[in-house]
Amino acid sequence: MKVVCGVKVGNMKDSDEAKRGRVGVVDFPVRELGPEEVKIKVAYCSICGSDPHIVGGAFGLEPPFGLGHEMSGIIVKMGEKAGDTGLKVGDRVSGNFLRYCGSCYYCTTGLQEYCTNAGNEPCMAEYVVWHKSQVMKLPDNCSLLNGCLLEPLSIGTRIMDRSRIKVGDRVLVSGGGPIGLITCQLFKKYGATSLTLSEPNEERCKIAKEIGVDYTINPMTEDLFKKGMEITNGLGYDVIVEVSGIPSAAEAVLLLAAKGSMVLYEAMFPNEYKLPLNLYEYIYSREITITGTYCSHYNFQRSVQMLPEMDFSAFLGEGQIFDIDDCEAAFAAHLSGKYPKIIIRCNQLDEE
């Protein structure tokens, strides 16, 4: 089967950096089906902001290595013990790309995202084999195209859980990528006020306004602190989520944190970056909670129920869907920043 992979560039005499940074289609065999597993014919897999980092060597993987974890598809085969959850051949599905063991220390203490035996398979492929526990059936009124965005939506759900938002809280989201825009939609549904997006891209700011954001600030041309304080009448924001992954933004948003606020760092920052932090100012005198998120935990069942409620139209427009053989062009389009989301069509299925 075809799998989109990070592949080597040049020969073995090149530097490690030169051997990475490209994607290509590699042929791999489909893994044999276990008794509690299902084989899924993948319809779509969207490109995550982390995928180019992985291709560039961020996780130190040796190429070729498979990519992708935001998928949807149709079950085409099942193990003999895979049907007890109600799944069946022909079901349209998405789910959690991580398989948790269920028995390690972290799995048994409610921290499954840190499972020491977790495994995953690349989903930017024609087929994937998943354990039944990973698979979520899509609602009847949710297309396969929308369904591939379940995993990004689950990140937004995790952010909602961690933010502890209350109705009426003033909220700032820093970064208007897919997670930022999804998070803005969810915050609006949760009753956020003075909902503000900090984002330099005018098109993404326009999208944000269409999905309910009250204010947008261009941090490149406007004074983020001054504007934010004007919007919040000098109080700052009760909830701040930083999803741009830009170190300067990580520092700038802290200045806008209200007393007793929650600041969440969700993005993947450079591994060596250290956030300057005055403990007296932020932790002692203002009692700000600073935390983050890592994976989605077990919220996929709740997130799949939200799929039909979300507006993903900005992610699914013309020029944003590429066939699997055009993966290099797809990643180039993603890196251009022109589109908020790029999706790879792994198989042409009847529904679409």
Side-chain angles (χ1 to χ4, degrees):
M1 68 169 174
K2 295 176 180 178
V3 181
V4 177
C5 294
V7 296
K8 288 184 178 180
V9 178
N11 57 53
M12 295 305 292
K13 293 180 181 179
D14 294 330
S15 66
D16 286 342
E17 184 176 357
K19 295 173 189 172
R20 295 184 169 88
R22 271 193 55 199
V23 295
V25 173
V26 178
D27 187 55
F28 282 102
V30 182
R31 187 167 64 79
E32 201 167 316
L33 196 68
E36 295 187 337
E37 293 180 321
V38 300
K39 180 180 179 181
I40 302 167
K41 189 172 187 178
V42 179
Y44 297 99
C45 185
S46 57
I47 298 177
C48 174
S50 66
D51 286 325
H53 292 292
I54 297 169
V55 174
F59 293 162
L61 300 174
E62 186 64 29
F65 47 80
L67 298 166
H69 55 271
E70 304 176 359
M71 62 76 74
S72 64
I74 293 177
I75 295 176
V76 293
K77 190 176 180 181
M78 299 180 62
E80 61 268 24
K81 296 181 179 180
D84 57 1
T85 59
L87 295 171
K88 62 184 183 299
V89 170
D91 280 347
R92 301 152 54 260
V93 297
S94 183
N96 184 0
F97 70 102
L98 287 172
R99 177 181 177 179
Y100 303 131
C101 74
S103 57
C104 72
Y105 173 82
Y106 294 108
C107 281
T108 56
T109 54
L111 294 169
Q112 291 92 340
E113 66 268 38
Y114 296 107
C115 173
T116 54
N117 303 305
N120 69 284
E121 292 185 30
C123 299
M124 212 170 280
E126 291 180 296
Y127 295 92
V128 68
V129 174
W130 275 2
H131 188 265
K132 61 185 180 182
S133 63
Q134 299 172 254
V135 183
M136 300 290 152
K137 185 177 178 180
L138 294 175
D140 292 339
N141 58 344
C142 176
S143 69
L144 285 168
L145 193 51
N146 277 27
C148 77
L149 298 172
L150 173 61
E151 196 277 338
L153 177 57
S154 78
I155 298 294
T157 304
R158 181 66 170 153
I159 290 171
M160 295 303 107
D161 292 347
R162 295 283 280 168
S163 73
R164 301 203 296 263
I165 183 176
K166 302 182 295 296
V167 172
D169 275 351
R170 301 173 297 271
V171 176
L172 169 66
V173 176
S174 173
I179 299 301
L181 293 172
I182 287 171
T183 299
C184 284
Q185 282 196 61
L186 290 173
F187 273 132
K188 196 65 177 179
K189 293 176 185 295
Y190 268 70
T193 60
S194 301
L195 180 57
T196 305
L197 176 69
S198 173
E199 169 58 48
N201 185 300
E202 289 185 12
E203 183 60 31
R204 296 187 186 191
C205 288
K206 180 182 176 183
I207 294 168
K209 286 293 189 71
E210 292 171 352
I211 59 174
V213 168
D214 301 309
Y215 304 94
T216 61
I217 302 172
N218 184 336
M220 305 300 291
T221 61
E222 299 177 277
D223 187 321
L224 177 63
F225 177 77
K226 182 180 178 181
K227 290 280 291 184
M229 282 302 185
E230 287 175 0
I231 291 167
T232 61
N233 296 316
L235 294 171
Y237 292 92
D238 303 300
V239 177
I240 296 174
V241 179
E242 210 307 300
V243 290
S244 75
I246 300 171
S248 60
E251 299 170 37
V253 298
L254 266 181
L255 299 174
L256 285 164
K259 292 179 179 178
S261 62
M262 169 72 72
V263 180
L264 278 147
Y265 290 99
E266 196 282 331
M268 183 183 292
F269 285 86
N271 291 358
E272 69 278 3
Y273 173 66
K274 298 184 190 307
L275 176 68
L277 184 66
N278 184 308
L279 291 177
Y280 178 86
E281 170 68 17
Y282 295 107
I283 305 301
Y284 176 72
S285 68
R286 288 157 69 183
E287 291 192 354
I288 294 169
T289 300
I290 300 173
T291 186
T293 66
Y294 180 68
C295 296
S296 298
H297 211 52
Y298 274 138
N299 69 43
F300 282 84
Q301 191 61 63
R302 288 183 290 137
S303 296
V304 80
Q305 295 176 160
M306 284 298 297
L307 273 173
E309 308 297 323
M310 302 297 292
D311 180 358
F312 289 142
S313 57
F315 299 161
L316 309 173
E318 186 177 351
Q320 294 174 246
I321 302 173
F322 292 76
D323 287 326
I324 191 168
D325 290 325
D326 298 323
C327 61
E328 288 189 80
F331 271 76
H334 170 88
L335 292 170
S336 75
K338 181 179 179 181
Y339 304 103
K341 197 68 173 171
I342 296 294
I343 293 172
I344 290 179
R345 183 190 290 112
C346 298
N347 285 286
Q348 181 72 56
L349 299 180
D350 291 342
E351 180 194 77
E352 307 298 331

